[in-house]
Amino acid sequence: LSCGFMLKALKKKKLLPPIRLPTRKEMFSLLEFTGPLMAITLTRLGGFICMQRAAMNLGVQPLAAYQLCINLVIFFLLFGEPLSQLSQTK
């Protein structure tokens, strides 16, 4: 809802850039950067799904322990990954 108000205000002030599909060249340059990050994210997600299925087969207590551990991992990934990316930029 608030996004709509912001877009309306930007359009009224003539600050809203035209929305268009990216060209092929722009898309390839974007994929050059985001491709490896997407592969890492999908691989991580697949690993988490496999671990969860294994924990589910072990019973309720191991599944609860897995859930606690995965919550900690994700919490630190949310803060650690951007800091790691930031330190690698030039």
Side-chain angles (χ1 to χ4, degrees):
L1 185 64
S2 61
C3 178
F5 287 127
M6 185 173 73
L7 289 173
K8 185 177 177 182
L10 287 173
K11 188 173 183 179
K12 186 178 177 181
K13 293 180 181 181
K14 298 185 180 182
L15 294 174
L16 187 65
I19 298 173
R20 62 175 178 80
L21 289 174
T23 63
R24 233 176 226 266
K25 185 179 178 184
E26 291 170 337
M27 192 61 124
F28 282 126
S29 66
L30 179 65
L31 286 175
E32 186 178 313
F33 173 72
T34 59
L37 294 176
M38 181 64 110
I40 290 169
T41 302
L42 291 176
T43 303
R44 244 186 227 156
L45 182 63
F48 289 149
I49 290 170
C50 289
M51 285 189 285
Q52 183 179 11
R53 283 187 170 178
M56 285 171 61
N57 290 332
L58 296 175
V60 175
Q61 287 179 338
L63 181 59
Y66 167 78
Q67 187 63 45
L68 288 172
C69 292
I70 204 68
N71 284 345
L72 281 173
V73 166
I74 289 175
F75 175 77
F76 287 113
L77 279 177
L78 288 176
F79 291 107
E81 188 71 26
L83 291 176
S84 172
Q85 295 283 330
L86 182 64
S87 68
Q88 294 175 20
T89 59
K90 293 181 182 179

